[in-house]
Structure formats: C-alpha cells, structure tokens
C-alpha cells in the first residue's frame, strides 16, 4: 500500500518511489498540507505547524471557536485547496457563484476512498497506473462538493492531483475559477523557472526569484502555446542541474492554463493552477460534476536533472501510449523544407529512389496535397486529394514507395479552414467567429469550432476517408495558428466563457476518434513547430515536432529546454539542409545528425541532392541511431553544463548503468578557448567503463570526479561523441 490514513492524527501519507506526500484534516475540518519531499517514515508531522505572528485571523463560518486551537488560525495553514469569502485572502483554488449571487465556499472533510485502479478523467487525458486517494470535501450550505484526487506511483517521484467539483444541490452553480490543485510549500526562499518562447524559439529557460505577491504564468490562447509551456519549476535558491530541491508542476492540458506561485504574508509559498480562470466560467447544473485537468507534481533533491528524470520516467511509464514509448519509430524523410508546395508525383518518386538503401523507411508528404492548396492561402478543410498535383490520387506515389519498401505518411491540419475553401463556402459557421464581427486572419486561415459535434464529425469523416482508402502509416497533425474570437454559435450566451475548455474537450474527442480509430497509423503532433508541446498531446502523440527551427545550433538549445520536462523520445528532430532555412547557418552533416540523434530522428531535405558522401554519412548515422535508439529512448538523461556555456553536453545512461553515450557540443572555436573537460556524472561509481574513443578503461568514480577532455574537431558548431561500456 502506498497510501495510508493514520486515524490518530487524521493524516494521509502517500509514498512514491523516493517521495512522501503528507497532509491532514485539521481541527476545523480543512485539508492542510504537511509535507512533500524525500521519502520519510510516517511520523506525526503535526509538530511542524506554526502560525506566523502577523497572520490575519478569521473564524470558520458560523463558528466563533478559533481560539480552541490557539496556535493556528483556520485560514493561514498550508492548503491542499483554498477558497474565497471566509477569511482566506490567498489565491483561491475555487470561486463558485451560487444562484443567489453569493460566492463563498467552505469545503470541509467528508471522508475518503482509496482506489487501486486509477479512474480516467472523462473526456480528458491523464496518466495511468498508481494508487489513488480521493478525499471528499463538502460545503453543506451550498451542497457543493469537491473530490480531491491524488495518485502516487511506486516507480517514479511524482504525485498527480486534480479536483472534481460536484453540484449536489438543486440549483445552478457557476464555477468562475476551478483550479486543479493547491499546495503550500514551507518558506519562500525559492526561484521560479519557466519555459518561454515563440515560433522557432520554443522552451527557453527563464529563472527568477519569488517575491511577496503572486508570480503567474499562463496561456489565454486555447492552446498550451510556445509562449509559455504549462510547466512551473519551483527551485530552492541555489539549486542547479545536480543539487538542491526542485518541485516541478506540469499540467496535462492543451487549452488556456495558469500556474501561480504566491508568497504569503507569513512567508509560505502556495502553488496553484489549472484551467485559466481568465474568460472562464462553467455552468454546473444540478447534480452535474466538473472535472479539472491533472497536474503532475515532481520532487527532486538532485536539482533540475533529478526533476527531469522524474518527469521522463513518469511520462514513459504512465503517459505516452505504451505500444509506442519504447518501440522503434518511423525513420522518415519529410518533403516540407525540400519542396514546400512545389511537388508532383515525379518529384516525390525521385525522393523515393534517392532514399532507397539509406535506412530511411518512410516518406512523409507535408502540406499541399489536397483541395486548392497550391500555397497557404487556400484549401484547408478540403481533405480531398488534389489531382492537379498528384495525378491518379495518392495511390501513385504510395504504390511506388511501397514497391521499394518505403512506407508513406501524410500531413493534416484537421482543426483549420481557409476562407478560400469549399468547406468555408458551404459552412462559414464552422469557423470560430462572433456573428457581426470580422475574424482575425492568421496565415490566411481560421480555426474550426471544435466545441460543435457536427464540426468534429466532419473532421473525423474527412480525415478517415483518406486514411481508410490509402495505405498510410504515419500522420503529422499540424496546428498553425492561435484561436481568436472565442465564441461558438451553438453555445447559449451564459456558456460562452466555457469556450476555451470546450475547445480542449473537442480536440481530445477528435484525438480519441481519429487516433484511437486508426491504431495502425503512427501520429506525430505539431503546431507551427512546437507550440502545443504538453503532456495531454503527448498522451496521444508519442512524438511532437519540437520546432520549425531545424538549425543544429539553435536546436541544441531548444532540445535542452524541452528536455527539462519531456523525454528525448518525445522530441521529433530532423536533419535539414545547409544553409539552414531558418538561420542561414552552415553546420556539418555530422553535427546536424548528432543533434537530431537526441530524439526521434528524421530528415527534412531534398534527398536527390545527396552527394555520395552524404549518403554514406546518413547510412552511418541511421546505423548508429538504430544501435543507440533504445538507450536514447529509455535511458536517464544528465545535462552537463548549460546552453549559456560555449560547450555543453547531454549524457544518456542506461537504467542499469551498463553503458552510456555522451554528446558534447561546442558553439564556437578559436584561439583562447579553454579545453572543455566534462565531468561524466550519472555513471556508476563502482563500475569501470571502456571508452572506445579514448581506448581507455576508467572507473565511473574517476570519470565523475576528473572527467574527460573533449576533443572537438576544429570549426564552429562541432560535436564530439563518447561511449562508455561497462568492463
Ligand atoms: C508548420 C510545420 O511546423 C511545418 O513543419 C510544416 O508542416 C508547415 N506547417 C506546413 O504548412
């Protein structure tokens, strides 16, 4: 049993692999946080409770007995959930408006259940497995209930949480804020780490000290977005890659979200969040319930590296579709950067000829194969093969590829429509928009209203029509613009602020039906590069296009930031042409291959331009990749140095520490550059390792203390690889 309830102290202890999470039900009946951190025995933790001298004090509603428990006020304890209107002025987890307009809640303990099988969230993805505790809270005056869900895992250092809000009354309750969790951490000596970015520049690392008040990051875009990833790291001051306590919070959600860290007047830090309550409300009819998305909370006392490994383990074991997480992926070539919209059967067939015997096993046809899509101004939504471009339909190129042993993949952007399309001409109302107002254009396209079931049916049928009638084994699902004009013609006025969440529910319904309904097709996620890289998407798409920026130098940084939370196997990484199309930078084929090798690798360039040398190098890259793929996909990642340094490295160590691969990267070469000696952490200190590149056998202990000097080839943007094999 990983979950224990101790009656004498009313304390719940949840034990993960190396972590313990504890909270108790206090005198007033509120769920009060006690501890989340390194695994500890089930001692009585109530001695840790102290009220700050300046705490404001309010009584529990309807009672004037606060001083019965004199050292503690009802409203300044570290919360598991907090609410507004009854003396607690910190960030509420919930704000519920009753039919009479009042907005107070008072959620008190009402029992618990423990489940050995984790229930799914209806209509939303979540992690699987583990043991689940449900703590039932009730506000008996309003008949509003809240079930707090906690799941712990014996194979990783995370806890997942979510809340289900239940209207047990016979009146309407309007949820104006319905977060997934709150947790009170001791002290306020923390820094917040977030992953910000933009197109071509996704998941850069930002770090800032917390201050009194609220630090908040969010998306208001109905997508998780490249601007900020739905992830918040809370770091003990001074924590680095290898040491210090780090808490990670990652929402399993793809629409507008928020995560906050509040330092309170008595010096605690409260983290909370979930669905963004900006432009949100949810009408909860009598006896209805509302499920919030799941938050994954990790704990590490081995700095950011430990946090990443906790997330990677959790996502590989409990989130990414099991049949794909460890198995080989399509090793594809995508025509986008090679041709953009300018292709035909002959050109694609020449690509097939050029990749024969290289090890590339799938040809992916990107944007432009359907409707009037000769450029990005027309055709989206019309998922009918354009015979102007592909004479004879898709079968000509598919049959040709298949005859040479090459599989075929296809690009879709299911959620979108161009104004210049048959779909829009026939059903302008399918596109999101407010009647009487114009729509914002972005890449000449509009977003379809996924809150509507008829729109979703149209998408499922038209995508399936292509998939069911052609031998397609891979799909790239793109999403190239943000949502604007949040409104659905089908929703009544009082439900319009449900739009962003309903969009996510619509997207998950599409994924369930299209991805679930085509089990033999491999689906890759994409959003104008990596603008929807979140755990919910990962639960459907085992790999996500990391960025449209395929320049190896920039990609190394993007992949570094992404790896803070997401495993290498989740990142789709392609070798592209030089000069690079995004940066015009030139890097060697070896560098481009080595950086793309740190993920689900592939190619994105014109193979008819391959020189014989390129071909040899590509064959070699694919050969090495096949040998190392299991390690890259399943091993433990250690980041050595950071992208702020001229040289930094990624080390992937097998779980049993029997072997490892170190990839070192140097941005600039030149006189005066120091020798880069890297301490190889993460190996077993008790084992000896043979390093073929040095023809030497060295102990793991020496390698971690002394390191190895890295011999980069001369020139900028160079890589060097080292292997370690237990001797
Ligand atoms: C954006 C994607 O990120 C690209 O890889 C490509 O598929 C284009 N869309 C096609 O329009």
């Amino acid at each position: 049993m990983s979950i224990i309830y101790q009656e004498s102290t009313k304390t719940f202890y949840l034990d993960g692999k190396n972590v313990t999470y504890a909270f108790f039900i206090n005198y007033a009946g509120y769920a009060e946080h006690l501890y989340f951190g390194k695994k500890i025995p089930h001692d009585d933790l109530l001695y840790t409770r102290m009220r700050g001298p300046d705490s404001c004090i309010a009584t529990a509603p309807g009672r004037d007995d606060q001083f019965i428990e004199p050292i503690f006020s009802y409203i300044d304890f570290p919360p598991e959930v907090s609410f507004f209107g009854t003396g607690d002025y910190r960030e509420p987890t919930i704000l519920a408006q009753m039919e009479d307009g009042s907005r107070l809640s008072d959620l008190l303990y009402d029992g618990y259940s423990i489940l050995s099988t984790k229930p799914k969230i209806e209509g939303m993805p979540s992690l699987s497995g583990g043991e689940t505790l449900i703590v039932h809270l009730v506000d008996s005056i309003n008949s509003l209930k809240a079930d707090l869900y906690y799941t712990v895992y014996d194979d990783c250092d995370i806890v997942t949480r979510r809340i289900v809000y239940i209207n047990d009354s016979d009146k309407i309750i309007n949820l104006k804020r319905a977060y997934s969790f709150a947790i009170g951490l001791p002290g306020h000596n923390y820094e917040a780490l977030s992953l910000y970015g933009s197109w071509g520049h996704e998941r850069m690392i930002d770090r800032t000290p917390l201050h009194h008040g609220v630090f908040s990051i969010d998306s208001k875009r109905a997508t998780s977005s490249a601007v900020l990833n739905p992830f918040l790291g809370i770091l003990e001051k001074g924590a680095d890659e290898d040491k210090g306590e780090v808490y990670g919070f990652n929402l399993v959600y793809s629409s507008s979200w928020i995560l906050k860290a509040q330092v309170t007047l008595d010096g605690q830090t409260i983290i909370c969040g979930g669905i963004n309550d900006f432009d949100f409300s949810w009408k909860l009819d009598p006896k209805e319930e509302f499920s919030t998305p799941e938050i994954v909370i990790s704990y590490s006392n081995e700095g950011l590296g430990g946090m990443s490994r906790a997330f990677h383990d959790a996502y590989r074991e409990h989130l990414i579709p099991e049949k794909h997480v460890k198995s080989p992926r399509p090793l594809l070539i995508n025509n986008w950067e090679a041709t953009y919209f300018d292709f035909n059967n002959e050109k694609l067939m020449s690509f097939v000829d050029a990749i024969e015997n290289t090890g590339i096993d799938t040809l992916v046809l990107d944007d432009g194969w359907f409707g009037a899509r000769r450029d990005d101004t027309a055709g989206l939504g019309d998922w009918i093969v354009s015979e102007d471009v592909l004479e004879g339909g898709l079968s000509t190129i598919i049959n040709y590829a298949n005859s040479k042993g090459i599989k075929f993949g296809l690009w879709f952007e299911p959620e979108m429509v161009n104004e210049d399309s048959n779909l829009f001409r026939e059903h302008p109302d399918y596109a999101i928009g407010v009647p009487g107002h114009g729509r914002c254009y972005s890449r000449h396209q509009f977003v379809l209203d996924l809150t509507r079931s008829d729109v979703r049916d149209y998408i499922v049928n038209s995508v399936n029509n292509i998939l069911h009638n052609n031998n397609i084994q891979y799909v790239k699902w793109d999403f190239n613009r943000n949502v604007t004009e949040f409104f659905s013609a089908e929703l009544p006025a009082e439900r319009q602020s449900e739009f962003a969440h309903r969009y996510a529910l619509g997207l998950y319904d599409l994924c369930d039906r299209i991805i679930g309904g085509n089990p033999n097709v491999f689906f890759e996620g994409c959003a104008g590069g990596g603008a929807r890289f979140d755990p919910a998407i990962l639960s459907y798409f085992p790999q996500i296009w990391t960025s449209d920026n395929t320049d190896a130098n920039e990609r190394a940084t993007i992949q570094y930031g992404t790896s803070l939370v997401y495993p290498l196997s989740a990142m789709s990484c392609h070798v592209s042409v030089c000069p690079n199309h995004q940066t015009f930078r030139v890097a060697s084929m070896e560098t481009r291959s080595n950086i793309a090798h740190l993920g689900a690798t592939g190619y994105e360039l014109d193979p008819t331009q391959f020189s014989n040398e390129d071909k040899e190098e590509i064959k070699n890259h694919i050969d090495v990749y096949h040998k190392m793929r299991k390690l890259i996909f399943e091993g433990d990642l250690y980041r050595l140095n950071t992208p702020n340094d001229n040289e930094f490295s990624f080390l992937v160590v097998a779980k049993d520490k029997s072997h490892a691969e170190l990839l070192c990267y140097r941005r600039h070469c030149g006189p005066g550059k120091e020798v880069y000696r890297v301490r190889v952490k993460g190996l077993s200190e008790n084992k000896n390792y043979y390093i073929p590149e040095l023809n030497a056998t060295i102990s793991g202990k020496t390698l971690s203390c002394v390191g190895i000097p890295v011999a980069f080839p001369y020139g900028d943007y160079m890589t060097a690889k080292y292997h370690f094999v237990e001797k």
Side-chain angles (χ1 to χ4, degrees), residues 336 366-367 373 411 443 476 478 480 526 528-529 545 548 604:
W336 179 243
D366 210 280
D367 196 352
R373 187 81 170 166
W411 178 95
R443 211 190 184 204
K476 176 177 175 187
D478 207 345
N480 280 301
C526 175
W545 183 227
D548 273 349
E604 182 129 0

Side-chain angles (χ1 to χ4, degrees), residues 69-84:
E69 201 193 20
I71 65 152
F72 215 73
S73 143
Y74 296 127
I75 46 71
D76 60 1
F77 55 82
E80 290 293 307
V81 56
S82 64
F83 25 84
F84 173 74

Side-chain angles (χ1 to χ4, degrees), residues 116-298:
S116 55
T117 304
K118 189 176 186 218
K120 290 194 166 156
I121 312 179
E122 212 193 310
M124 266 192 291
S126 57
L127 276 67
S128 60
E131 192 177 12
T132 298
L133 165 71
I134 310 173
V135 170
H136 309 289
L137 305 181
V138 62
D139 177 333
S140 47
I141 294 174
N142 293 320
S143 295
L144 173 66
K145 295 182 169 178
D147 280 350
L148 313 185
Y149 284 68
Y150 300 80
T151 303
V152 267
Y153 299 84
D154 54 17
D155 57 358
C156 47
D157 294 332
I158 60 148
V159 172
T160 65
R161 288 192 53 186
R162 66 186 174 97
I163 301 177
V164 176
Y165 298 97
I166 305 146
N167 180 356
D168 202 27
S169 75
D170 51 8
K171 300 190 175 121
I172 291 166
I173 297 179
N174 206 4
L175 296 175
K176 297 167 88 77
R177 172 181 290 189
Y179 285 172
S180 297
F181 78 108
I183 181 174
L185 300 176
H188 57 93
N189 217 10
Y190 299 109
E191 291 176 280
L193 187 151
S194 51
L195 297 173
Y196 74 97
S198 63
W199 176 84
H201 194 61
E202 295 90 341
R203 290 167 294 285
M204 300 291 117
I205 297 172
D206 231 347
R207 201 168 154 165
T208 183
L210 291 184
H211 51 76
H212 280 85
V214 180
F215 172 86
S216 174
I217 52 173
D218 77 348
S219 159
K220 299 183 185 71
R221 294 163 183 258
T223 57
S224 44
S225 106
V227 177
L228 281 161
N229 194 264
F231 160 78
L232 175 63
I234 296 294
L235 285 61
E236 178 189 11
K237 271 205 181 122
D240 62 17
E241 192 56 36
D242 306 310
K243 60 177 191 329
E245 290 196 303
V246 176
Y247 305 88
F249 299 84
N250 194 203
L251 268 171
V252 187
Y253 193 52
S254 319
S255 189
S256 304
W257 57 271
I258 190 158
L259 287 167
K260 292 177 180 171
Q262 179 177 27
V263 175
T264 64
L265 79 165
D266 55 354
Q268 305 173 49
T269 302
I270 294 171
I271 318 296
C272 59
I275 296 172
N276 199 339
D277 47 319
F278 170 81
D279 191 31
F280 167 83
S281 70
W282 196 272
K283 190 174 154 222
L284 209 50
D285 283 327
K287 307 301 168 199
E288 263 186 5
E289 53 182 61
F290 180 77
S291 289
T292 60
E294 186 165 58
I295 180 90
V296 184
I297 311 177
S298 67

Side-chain angles (χ1 to χ4, degrees), residues 494-513:
E494 73 277 13
R495 286 196 181 274
Q496 288 297 340
S497 292
E498 299 178 4
F499 179 84
H501 182 57
R502 286 187 182 275
Y503 188 88
L505 297 179
L507 170 65
Y508 301 143
D509 177 55
L510 278 189
C511 291
D512 284 334
R513 290 161 69 191

Side-chain angles (χ1 to χ4, degrees), residues 220-222 256 279 432 434 483-488 496 499-500:
K220 299 183 185 71
R221 294 163 183 258
S256 304
D279 191 31
I432 296 168
V434 180
V483 177
T484 49
E485 297 92 30
F486 290 43
F487 188 87
S488 173
Q496 288 297 340
F499 179 84

